[in-house]
Amino acid sequence: MFNRFERAVAGRYLRARRGERFVSIIAIFSLIGIALGVATLIIVMAVMNGFRADLMGRVLGLNGDLNIFSAGHSIPNYQDDVVAIRGVKNVTRVTPMAEGTVLIDAGNYSTGGVVRGILPGDLRDLHALSDNITDGRLEDFRGDDAIAVGATLAARAGLGIGSKVTLLSPNGRATPFGTMPRIRAYHVALVFDAGVNDYDTSVILMPLGAAQRFLMMPDAVSLIQVATRDPLQVRDVTRAIAERLDDPRLRVMDWTQSNNAFLGALTVQQNVMFLILTLIILVAAFNVISSMIMMVKDKTRDIAVLRTLGASRGAIMRIFLMCGASVGVSGTVIGFVIGVVFCLNIERIQHGVEHLTHTSLFNPEFYYLEHLPARLVWSQVIEVMVMALALSFVATLYPSWRAARTDPIEALRHE
């Protein structure tokens, strides 16, 4: 497409000579703008993809891909429902739970929280928690007075293995003086770090039998948590489970229904950020246009001489297309390298900045997660690079066309 003569002339024009450095400086700034735009887009999209994936993984790992519950009531005889759900295709885990709101009293620290009763075997299969035990052993999670607390709650209340915690439940027995809340003391057997600050602060786990007695749910549970093989195909599993359940009072809600507004907001935010950051590349493309127009004006006499020597309009156009495209290609490649290297080392960079500034850039008390995630989706990276190359190429069309339309006779006459 480009012959040796055209490549030689384009290379000569890209190398600044005395009196032409101003045009080259504009071209360098255009290259830097494209590189920064591409790198910023890659980094921001990777961070948002990582945030979404990490958030979904943690939330779904803790709360399940779908939940079965009975509105306003507990689920009696849940064993039959558990057996029926386990027979559904693509179901990997079924966890019955007893759940209730409590007041947590740990000496000088009191707060509201949620008690979740779970079988010790199901807790072992719940890898979002069992793989993140920071203190204690899973074998100790048994009996009527053992509980597991989150790392954040343990730190705030000064709890450790064997510490005493008093729980108060509003579900009590009716007396002539009104409903008396249930109060009972438990000891800490496990400390877990789920990685979600809200969960680590307010959720207390206890064996299912103990929770049923404390919450006054004999042989009943509050919900049945279900995990699937592929969360993106959860709708098919939801329909299959709904067909198997005989009780019309039971409701099945998957994560797309319970978190649709939140995840939809993340998607909209990601798309808006993509459009906004694309403007950086667009501004750099306008700089390419201005630098190319100035180059064409500066090389008017050279164009006239080349045309007189026999160069065609197509050759002139291709020369200036190469000049502009080289800026776009170089900026895109540099931006790609910067963006990918930054994403692959983002945690090291975060820790380095925190060490230098002695501040926390990603405080888990204010942000939902404890670290800054980044996940490169190569299809998006390719999309960003193609867009940058396309904008750079389009930016060179008009100046190259103007150069090709130069009349050699008029140009030499005025020179």
Side-chain angles (χ1 to χ4, degrees):
M1 182 177 179
F2 302 102
N3 59 39
R4 183 177 178 182
F5 164 73
E6 294 165 357
R7 292 195 300 269
V9 175
R12 181 187 177 92
Y13 285 172
L14 287 172
R15 293 190 296 270
R17 294 180 297 175
R18 183 176 300 177
E20 300 173 356
R21 298 190 184 278
F22 182 70
V23 177
S24 297
I25 290 174
I26 296 177
I28 291 173
F29 277 111
S30 303
L31 185 148
I32 293 174
I34 293 174
L36 290 177
V38 171
T40 304
L41 259 178
I42 291 175
I43 293 169
V44 170
M45 298 301 289
V47 169
M48 298 197 72
N49 287 329
F51 182 82
R52 182 187 179 95
D54 201 346
L55 185 62
M56 284 183 60
R58 292 178 184 271
V59 171
L60 297 184
L62 295 171
N63 299 320
D65 299 341
L66 60 94
N67 292 291
I68 296 95
F69 61 93
S70 179
H73 304 280
S74 59
I75 306 176
N77 304 319
Y78 63 91
Q79 294 87 351
D80 296 336
D81 295 325
V82 170
V83 172
I85 295 169
R86 282 176 176 157
V88 176
K89 185 180 179 181
N90 292 326
V91 170
T92 58
R93 177 174 58 84
V94 181
T95 306
M97 290 184 174
E99 186 176 275
T101 304
V102 296
L103 177 66
I104 304 169
D105 182 14
N108 295 326
Y109 182 83
S110 298
T111 185
V114 175
V115 163
R116 284 189 174 181
I118 183 173
L119 292 170
D122 291 337
L123 177 59
R124 189 181 301 275
D125 294 335
L126 191 61
H127 295 288
L129 295 177
S130 61
D131 292 346
N132 295 286
I133 301 297
T134 60
D135 201 2
R137 300 182 307 166
L138 283 172
E139 291 77 12
D140 298 330
F141 186 72
R142 53 188 174 83
D144 289 339
D145 62 344
I147 60 173
V149 300
T152 306
L153 177 60
R156 291 181 178 178
L159 300 176
I161 300 301
S163 298
K164 179 182 175 182
V165 177
T166 301
L167 302 181
L168 185 149
S169 171
N171 297 328
R173 298 187 181 276
T175 68
F177 302 99
T179 301
M180 296 297 294
R182 292 179 60 82
I183 303 176
R184 179 160 182 185
Y186 295 86
H187 76 272
V188 177
L190 287 176
V191 178
F192 58 83
D193 185 2
V196 178
N197 190 65
D198 290 350
Y199 200 96
D200 290 336
T201 303
S202 59
V203 175
I204 289 181
L205 302 177
M206 67 173 60
L208 181 59
Q212 289 173 330
R213 286 185 287 274
F214 179 67
L215 299 173
M216 301 181 65
M217 296 182 183
D219 299 322
V221 295
S222 305
L223 60 92
I224 301 174
Q225 191 180 102
V226 180
T228 63
R229 194 176 307 278
D230 184 4
L232 298 179
Q233 305 296 328
V234 71
R235 287 294 181 91
D236 298 333
V237 180
T238 301
R239 287 191 291 266
I241 291 176
E243 293 173 357
R244 289 213 177 190
L245 298 176
D246 296 330
D247 193 342
R249 295 176 300 176
L250 295 181
R251 300 288 183 268
V252 183
M253 179 176 291
D254 57 52
W255 68 269
T256 62
Q257 297 169 314
S258 57
N259 299 294
N260 58 346
F262 182 67
L263 295 175
L266 286 179
T267 303
V268 171
Q269 185 181 23
Q270 188 174 13
N271 294 335
V272 172
M273 289 296 292
F274 182 86
L275 292 175
I276 292 175
L277 295 175
T278 301
L279 296 177
I280 299 177
I281 303 177
L282 190 60
V283 171
F286 277 108
N287 287 336
V288 173
I289 296 176
S290 62
S291 64
M292 289 297 298
I293 290 177
M294 294 181 66
M295 181 183 290
V296 170
K297 295 290 290 182
D298 188 63
K299 301 296 183 182
T300 300
R301 183 173 60 181
D302 293 5
I303 295 171
V305 172
L306 290 173
R307 288 296 312 279
T308 304
L309 293 175
S312 64
R313 289 184 174 180
I316 299 298
M317 187 170 184
R318 287 191 292 271
I319 288 171
F320 286 93
L321 279 175
M322 276 191 287
C323 292
S326 62
V327 175
V329 171
S330 301
T332 302
V333 172
I334 293 172
F336 165 77
V337 173
I338 294 174
V340 171
V341 170
F342 191 97
C343 291
L344 295 178
N345 298 276
I346 193 166
E347 290 195 20
R348 294 191 184 96
I349 295 172
Q350 177 190 349
H351 295 327
V353 173
E354 290 176 345
H355 179 72
L356 290 175
T357 60
H358 303 288
T359 57
S360 177
L361 298 180
F362 209 65
N363 193 333
E365 294 188 4
F366 300 102
Y367 302 98
Y368 203 54
L369 303 175
E370 295 185 333
H371 65 283
L372 185 61
R375 181 188 179 193
L376 282 170
V377 177
W378 292 108
S379 59
Q380 290 184 346
V381 174
I382 294 173
E383 181 181 349
V384 171
M385 294 183 66
V386 169
M387 181 192 64
L389 292 173
L391 287 176
S392 302
F393 177 76
V394 171
T396 62
L397 288 178
Y398 175 71
S400 302
W401 177 80
R402 283 286 303 271
R405 297 284 296 177
T406 300
D407 187 350
I409 297 176
E410 291 296 325
L412 291 174
R413 178 184 300 170
H414 288 90
E415 288 293 339

